[in-house]
Amino acid sequence: MLNSNEIYNFIQQGENETLEFKQSFSKVVIETLVAFSNTRGGKVLIGVRNDKSLTGVSATEETVQKWINEIKQNTEPAIIPDAETILIEEKEIVILSVIEYPIKPVSFKNKYFKRVLNSNHLMSLDELSNLHLQTINSSWDYYPDPNHGLEHISTRKIEKYITEYEKWNDTTVDYSPYDFLNKFEILRDNKLTFGAYILFAKDLCVVSDIQIGRFKSPTKIIDSLNLDTDIFTELNSIMTFIKKHLMVEFIITG
């Protein structure tokens, strides 16, 4: 979450590819969020004029939630922006933020926008086709994770993976753990992706929560396992659990 000084500095920079000012909420706000979602993500500051002056906006928590619902209902795939209200110079500014959406293109009432410099542009059929092809060739885990940073992954787990990688490929990795992840785009420009987080999460990882059980009957569980850590650890734990409950019969003849 950004503080008021950081937001004020953003405002002084003016509108750009990832920042837009609006005095009030309108359909243009939704168009802008769609354009951000189809490009690099961004923020709409409501309560700010184009000339960077602050007007403020009167918006209760219920009002902001109504805006979010309207955005969700009128976009496809549905986007749900993060919202926060910050007080600057005794004026309330509502900030609606979206990341670059993993599934593109995103539309608003069957219209597709992209962000170019400080304005929204209606996309051409060729641009829509190219964006769709890019989405097909990538997936959710490829995109930057806005909620986690390098401090949320374990260097020890990365090093352990590199050791296994060296064994599998009969090679030696002579660069740092983070350089290794950048090489394979598990990190992108040293920024954590969703994939990097679920592979090497340091602590709890609710994104990859798994529950597994051994049923004696349709309603009776005689053993269970709850996992909420990195995928590698979960996979090993699941295999151990399955082997524990395998019913194997040995028949010796002769």
Side-chain angles (χ1 to χ4, degrees):
M1 181 180 294
L2 299 172
N3 60 43
S4 57
N5 288 333
E6 290 172 320
I7 294 299
Y8 182 81
N9 290 335
F10 274 144
I11 293 172
Q12 298 313 304
Q13 294 172 17
E15 294 180 324
N16 54 43
E17 189 180 16
T18 58
L19 188 64
E20 176 88 355
F21 305 148
K22 289 293 174 230
Q23 286 184 248
S24 60
F25 182 82
S26 66
K27 70 173 186 178
V28 180
V29 170
I30 305 179
E31 289 178 359
T32 302
L33 292 172
V34 164
F36 286 155
S37 297
N38 285 328
T39 315
R40 294 175 49 203
K43 302 178 185 296
V44 177
L45 275 55
I46 302 175
V48 183
R49 291 194 183 97
N50 289 342
D51 63 5
K52 307 177 190 176
S53 61
L54 307 181
T55 60
V57 63
S58 179
T60 64
E61 187 174 330
E62 290 180 354
T63 300
V64 174
Q65 187 58 54
K66 182 180 177 181
W67 294 349
I68 293 173
N69 290 339
E70 186 174 342
I71 294 165
K72 178 182 176 182
Q73 292 166 6
N74 287 283
T75 53
E76 179 63 35
I79 56 175
I80 304 175
D82 291 329
E84 57 181 308
T85 301
I86 287 186
L87 195 65
I88 303 177
E89 296 180 357
E90 299 185 354
K91 292 182 173 65
E92 285 191 349
I93 308 298
V94 175
I95 305 166
L96 299 177
S97 307
V98 292
I99 62 170
E100 179 183 350
Y101 205 73
I103 303 171
K104 295 190 285 287
V106 179
S107 69
F108 169 56
K109 294 186 175 180
N110 296 318
K111 292 184 178 180
Y112 300 84
F113 298 89
K114 67 176 182 178
R115 190 72 172 178
V116 179
L117 299 178
N118 62 349
S119 60
N120 306 325
H121 289 247
L122 200 60
M123 299 175 70
S124 67
L125 287 176
D126 284 344
E127 289 172 327
L128 287 174
S129 298
N130 289 334
L131 198 58
H132 180 65
L133 288 173
Q134 290 173 22
T135 298
I136 291 174
N137 292 325
S138 62
S139 58
W140 168 83
D141 54 295
Y142 176 77
Y143 287 85
D145 182 345
N147 300 313
H148 300 97
L150 295 178
E151 69 275 12
H152 294 108
I153 60 175
S154 168
T155 304
R156 178 185 59 80
K157 291 180 180 180
I158 300 171
E159 290 171 343
K160 182 179 178 181
Y161 175 79
I162 291 175
T163 299
E164 294 298 321
Y165 176 87
E166 290 175 326
K167 291 179 182 177
W168 297 333
N169 294 277
D170 191 24
T171 188
T172 300
V173 174
D174 57 0
Y175 28 82
S176 73
Y178 290 155
D179 287 340
F180 176 82
L181 297 186
N182 270 309
K183 176 179 173 62
F184 291 97
E185 295 190 322
I186 302 174
L187 293 183
R188 293 175 60 192
D189 299 324
N190 277 325
K191 292 181 180 179
L192 204 67
T193 60
F194 288 111
Y197 177 61
I198 63 174
L199 287 173
F200 304 110
K202 183 181 293 183
D203 300 308
L204 296 180
C205 179
V206 294
V207 177
S208 59
D209 178 61
I210 294 176
Q211 298 183 31
I212 184 171
R214 168 75 166 90
F215 287 78
K216 186 174 183 180
S217 71
T219 58
K220 186 175 182 179
I221 300 175
I222 59 175
D223 195 7
S224 64
L225 183 65
N226 295 321
L227 301 168
D228 49 12
T229 183
D230 66 274
I231 289 294
F232 290 126
T233 301
E234 289 183 341
L235 180 60
N236 289 332
S237 299
I238 289 169
M239 293 305 296
T240 300
F241 184 88
I242 292 173
K243 290 176 183 178
K244 173 183 173 183
H245 291 287
L246 279 177
M247 300 181 68
V248 180
E249 179 181 359
F250 293 94
I251 300 176
I252 301 175
T253 61

